[in-house]
Amino acid sequence: MVLPGEQARLYRPRPELLPAAHVPSLPHYQRLYQRSVEEPHEFWGDIAKEFYWKRQHTGPFLKYNFDVTKGKIFIEWMKGATTNICYNLLDRNVNEKKLGDKVAFYWEGNEPGDSTKITYRELLHKVCQFANVLRSQGVKKGDRVSIYLPMILELVVAMLACARIGALHSVVFAGFSADSLCERILDCGCSLLITADAFYRGDKLVNLKHIADEAIRKCKDRGSSLKKCIVVKHLGREEITVDGTCSKSPPVKRLCQDVQAPWNPDVDAWWHELMSGASTECEPEWCDAEDELFILYTSGSTGKPKGVLHTVGGYMIFAATSFKYVFDYQPEDVYWCTADIGWITGHSYLTYGPLANGATSVLFEGVPTYPDVGRMWSIIDKYKVTKFYTAPTAIRLLMKYGEKPVKKHSRKSLKVLGTVGEPINPEAWLWYYSVVGEERCPIVDTFWQTETGGHMLTPLPAATPMKPGSATFPFFGVVPAILSESGEELEGEAEGYLVFKQPWPGIMRTLYGKHPQFETVYFKKFPGYYVTGDGCRRDKDGYYWITGRIDDMLNVSGHLLSTAEVESALLEHAAVAEAAVVSHPHPLKGECLYCFVTLREGHEFTKNLTDELKKQVREKIGPIATPDYIQYAPSLPKTRSGKITRRILRKIAKNDQDLGDISTLADPGIIKHLFNSRCDTKQ
Ligand code: WT7
């Protein structure tokens, strides 16, 4: 158990452990920070000089408007300068910095023993080849390409190839359903999809091509412009010998599976066939700093996913700089981020940030518990990982199995640990710190969002005294404020809405094709500020503590879902008349879904129906969104104007009788009934 005083205790970094640190002390951080927010043009201008620009910028370094009452919201960093992000990540590292033979990625497959690596030179060649393939398929600057792949090297190759030719990638997490994929393909009007035959996650086979085919069918029915599907032969990558055994030693399961997906020659093409014969040279497309780089979908409180758009120049310098400082990157590091590339963490801190710094990373296809719960620690030892970045949900999961599986492995290479995705509970923080890091490694608890492109609040490993559960202080260029409900800035110790007062280079520029929605969601509530949607507390020492979402969003295992999105999936079932979804605490996932449903006439609430409803949500959104609890409600508590009071439903789910004021409810009688028929934990 964590004692209450523990949260207030400071854990000081031991500078002798990171002697070459970029930021060796708190005053050093404070000096750099001050400059970054007072002279952002000079601060980021100096950093921009470390990158290659085909044409230097001439106009103002930063132009923006954060205030909806003064006109359109816009943010422009270095507009007029031209560059190519792929050129900066690969060509320069190979040709100028002579890192051609350095390993860019160690790829570790789902099965232990199934691994490979790729150097910067090899990666450059593959990316050029695939960029040529894309061009030969008619993909041009500004076109959208959807990528639906497991954690394999081709995923990185495909993203960078898009970036090289100025096409926008939209990576869709390979755990999403056909419906979710289809929705995302349609929203950005993409012309080409890249997927794979199949893959294993732990011992579960995911037949990706089948799901992709279903999505393509659905898209076609809805008039999509998708023309082509490029398929990576992943599971069937290696030859299988005549007697059906693997030709590789040790035999790995993926090689022994022959997954046959139906083939549509009008649409489908094999990746390896298109690549064979493609040139390893490819002139990059020179893009404006403010040209679009990628779209990444994140849940929105309206229920429809939002296409967050990032642009070339600002995102590049922000991902690169935050990676360098937050992980205190050093050339000899082996860095491992366990996030899937389908999320922003995998974009900024597995792909763009590390490659911009010439880092060596581990790319892991599998899961932490397969083939056993020591897998993470065994990978850390295998590659001598120095910097390790994971999510609180993974830490809590592994904590459950105790110290033994951790202690079986040495982990002595580790220097810095990181977490991201949700508030980390102090108990998990302390376990991570003392058991995994043996009190030797600082923990960087990084608060940020898909929309912010990179870290917003975070310790720096050799500089910031840590408090378990606090994301501590703002990163360079970030000016946080805490606002009251009425929009007043609160000073000193305070709790309220977390907002940011001025742009940093990595901020999103719009929601793809939906600028008015972008303005409404992030800028309307408090004119002049970017609104995160998170609650936050500042303590007496100025430390920031994220208290969780304050909109209708919930955070399941570090991934945001909107209650509206799950409700609309439930409502598509013929038996459901009304649905209300609230978040509920969960020991491993952080939060989980607790759903209330009212039924249409003639339907009965049975075990069968709950199973069907769970399946329906899984199919519509993906396994992440599977509800933990579904409770029958004869009716839902509503205000007199008919708005469902989720605040009260959250309390019912938790069995918290302290409801506060319920006088605004139209029918307070229903509450007692809902308390009496709560789901217990057996479901
Ligand atoms: C939301 C953003 C950023 C990459 C992963 C999630 C929550 C994220 C932390 C943290 C407390 C955190 C916030 C945020 N969150 N990191 N270190 N401490 N909360 O990206 O899906 O865009 O979710 O995740 O609620 O708004 P995302």
Side-chain angles (χ1 to χ4, degrees):
M1 271 310 285
V2 179
L3 305 169
E6 206 84 55
Q7 281 203 24
R9 189 185 141 186
L10 282 180
Y11 288 76
R12 294 189 189 278
R14 286 157 53 191
E16 74 276 13
L17 295 175
L18 299 166
H22 298 300
V23 184
S25 68
L26 196 60
H28 193 124
Y29 154 75
Q30 285 158 340
R31 269 199 310 280
L32 283 171
Y33 175 74
Q34 222 53 42
R35 177 158 186 259
S36 76
V37 297
E38 282 164 12
E39 303 167 8
H41 303 241
E42 291 76 7
F43 182 88
W44 294 108
D46 284 350
I47 287 173
K49 285 186 199 131
E50 293 165 24
F51 293 83
Y52 175 79
W53 304 90
K54 182 88 175 165
R55 188 171 71 219
Q56 296 289 336
H57 88 280
T58 44
F61 197 73
L62 163 66
K63 266 177 77 180
Y64 75 101
N65 172 38
F66 255 27
D67 188 342
V68 272
T69 63
K70 298 204 172 117
K72 194 175 151 168
I73 301 292
F74 74 95
I75 304 112
E76 291 170 355
W77 288 89
M78 296 169 285
K79 196 174 165 77
T82 60
T83 187
N84 183 282
I85 191 167
C86 174
Y87 183 88
N88 273 287
L89 268 48
L90 300 181
D91 305 60
R92 271 185 80 230
N93 279 329
V94 172
N95 299 324
E96 267 173 54
K97 301 193 180 160
K98 306 290 172 222
L99 298 177
D101 295 323
K102 189 173 180 185
V103 173
F105 289 104
Y106 289 110
W107 181 78
E108 172 78 9
N110 184 61
E111 294 299 314
D114 187 14
S115 58
T116 180
K117 61 184 176 199
I118 190 165
T119 64
Y120 272 85
R121 182 174 300 102
E122 289 163 343
L123 185 57
L124 170 62
H125 288 169
K126 284 226 177 334
V127 167
C128 285
Q129 281 186 298
F130 196 64
N132 286 323
V133 166
L134 289 175
R135 278 190 175 145
S136 74
Q137 296 293 324
V139 179
K140 303 178 305 300
K141 180 164 188 262
D143 287 353
R144 280 80 57 212
V145 173
S146 288
I147 307 180
Y148 186 57
L149 284 174
M151 289 283 279
I152 55 178
L153 291 170
E154 284 84 353
L155 173 48
V156 177
V157 172
M159 291 163 79
L160 296 178
C162 288
R164 193 169 188 90
I165 65 169
L168 287 68
H169 55 73
S170 159
V171 179
V172 179
F173 172 54
F176 274 129
S177 65
D179 280 292
S180 296
L181 174 60
C182 167
E183 211 57 60
R184 286 158 176 76
I185 290 174
L186 289 171
D187 186 83
C188 68
C190 85
S191 54
L192 189 137
L193 172 69
I194 303 164
T195 190
D197 49 0
F199 66 101
Y200 273 96
R201 248 183 92 73
D203 49 19
K204 192 170 156 271
L205 176 69
V206 181
N207 217 321
L208 207 61
K209 175 69 162 57
H210 279 283
I211 308 173
D213 282 348
E214 197 187 328
I216 294 172
R217 236 184 349 264
K218 289 179 187 238
C219 285
K220 213 168 145 198
D221 292 347
R222 293 168 62 186
S224 128
S225 49
L226 190 92
K227 289 193 262 315
K228 199 89 210 163
C229 178
I230 299 180
V231 188
V232 178
K233 194 170 199 169
H234 173 53
L235 220 54
R237 202 182 286 267
E238 305 284 331
E239 287 302 307
I240 295 170
T241 57
V242 190
D243 63 356
T245 57
C246 295
S247 61
K248 203 171 166 184
S249 175
V252 288
K253 188 154 63 183
R254 84 171 155 89
L255 309 178
C256 301
Q257 293 285 336
D258 197 8
V259 177
Q260 293 290 336
W263 200 254
N264 177 356
D266 294 337
V267 178
D268 299 335
W270 284 114
W271 170 289
H272 59 275
E273 288 178 3
L274 295 172
M275 286 286 268
S276 81
S279 164
T280 56
E281 279 175 29
C282 173
E283 176 65 13
E285 184 80 40
W286 298 106
C287 300
D288 193 282
E290 279 302 332
D291 277 346
E292 300 154 324
L293 174 61
F294 66 80
I295 302 166
L296 185 61
Y297 286 88
T298 183
S299 292
S301 52
T302 58
K304 286 256 177 240
K306 303 175 292 194
V308 170
L309 184 107
H310 285 286
T311 53
V312 173
Y315 178 80
M316 174 170 78
I317 63 175
F318 198 63
T321 309
S322 50
F323 175 78
K324 171 178 161 184
Y325 285 101
V326 173
F327 299 106
D328 190 41
Y329 171 67
Q330 304 292 337
E332 65 283 1
D333 275 335
V334 177
Y335 163 83
W336 181 20
C337 164
T338 66
D340 195 286
I341 295 183
W343 312 111
I344 190 69
T345 309
H347 281 56
S348 301
Y349 299 115
L350 225 165
T351 310
Y352 290 103
L355 292 175
N357 283 275
T360 295
S361 303
V362 175
L363 179 68
F364 175 44
E365 183 191 23
V367 293
T369 49
Y370 180 85
D372 59 57
V373 298
R375 186 72 191 276
M376 305 264 245
W377 325 121
S378 98
I379 294 174
I380 287 173
D381 282 359
K382 177 172 175 185
Y383 297 104
K384 310 247 173 325
V385 170
T386 53
K387 314 278 162 86
F388 178 62
Y389 194 27
T390 194
T393 182
I395 300 166
R396 286 192 298 263
L397 172 74
L398 296 171
M399 233 173 117
K400 233 180 46 171
Y401 300 100
E403 301 184 1
K404 227 165 138 201
V406 189
K407 298 255 158 105
K408 243 177 75 187
H409 303 272
S410 135
R411 293 156 288 117
K412 71 171 189 300
S413 55
L414 287 175
K415 291 185 175 157
V416 175
L417 303 173
T419 89
V420 58
E422 58 179 307
I424 181 164
N425 47 312
E427 211 170 334
W429 193 99
L430 286 167
W431 190 81
Y432 198 27
Y433 184 73
S434 53
V435 179
V436 177
E438 296 177 323
E439 300 183 9
R440 183 182 74 237
C441 309
I443 295 181
V444 288
D445 174 358
T446 60
F447 165 85
W448 59 295
Q449 308 178 297
T450 305
E451 293 88 336
T452 69
H455 302 141
M456 292 284 103
L457 303 174
T458 176
L460 298 184
T464 316
M466 298 160 284
K467 295 190 186 188
S470 166
T472 73
F473 302 126
F475 183 66
F476 302 144
V478 174
V479 187
I482 296 181
L483 301 188
S484 69
E485 185 63 52
S486 60
E488 214 191 320
E489 273 191 38
L490 303 173
E491 304 294 334
E493 268 187 272
E495 184 164 346
Y497 292 86
L498 177 66
V499 298
F500 297 117
K501 294 170 71 163
Q502 64 189 49
W504 58 98
I507 186 179
M508 68 187 295
R509 302 300 195 262
T510 191
L511 287 172
Y512 189 74
K514 299 195 172 81
H515 201 71
Q517 192 192 351
F518 166 68
E519 298 181 324
T520 309
V521 175
Y522 303 100
F523 295 94
K524 201 156 175 191
K525 188 170 173 71
F526 300 117
Y529 302 94
Y530 166 87
V531 181
T532 60
D534 285 291
C536 186
R537 182 167 68 81
R538 196 192 297 110
D539 71 14
K540 62 177 186 342
D541 304 319
Y543 280 68
Y544 289 89
W545 301 76
I546 302 296
T547 55
R549 299 294 305 181
I550 36 190
D551 47 16
D552 288 333
M553 305 289 286
L554 45 102
N555 193 322
V556 178
S557 301
H559 301 298
L560 284 188
L561 288 170
S562 75
T563 52
E565 186 178 14
V566 181
E567 283 161 8
S568 73
L570 289 168
L571 284 167
E572 282 179 41
H573 193 284
V576 178
E578 258 192 317
V581 175
V582 295
S583 84
H584 188 59
H586 186 280
L588 295 180
K589 299 193 254 188
E591 292 177 12
C592 68
L593 295 148
Y594 194 116
C595 313
F596 295 86
V597 293
T598 68
L599 299 184
R600 288 179 194 282
E601 277 296 314
H603 291 274
E604 238 182 281
F605 192 77
T606 57
K607 167 89 174 65
N608 215 350
L609 179 65
T610 16
D611 290 346
E612 270 179 39
L613 291 175
K614 287 183 183 180
K615 186 161 161 266
Q616 168 122 345
V617 177
R618 194 161 48 234
E619 280 172 8
K620 292 278 161 202
I621 305 173
I624 283 182
T626 310
D628 282 57
Y629 304 103
I630 299 183
Q631 175 176 349
Y632 170 67
S635 70
L636 294 169
K638 290 183 184 166
T639 61
R640 277 172 233 279
S641 60
K643 214 168 164 321
I644 298 173
T645 46
R646 289 192 181 70
R647 175 182 71 81
I648 288 173
L649 290 173
R650 255 195 300 274
K651 297 215 163 179
I652 294 172
K654 272 203 285 196
N655 205 10
D656 175 356
Q657 309 268 351
D658 181 15
L659 295 181
D661 180 19
I662 56 167
S663 61
T664 55
L665 292 187
D667 171 20
I670 186 63
I671 290 177
K672 188 155 178 270
H673 185 96
L674 291 177
F675 267 115
N676 290 338
S677 55
R678 285 180 61 256
C679 294
D680 56 28
T681 42
K682 282 199 296 276
Q683 222 186 57

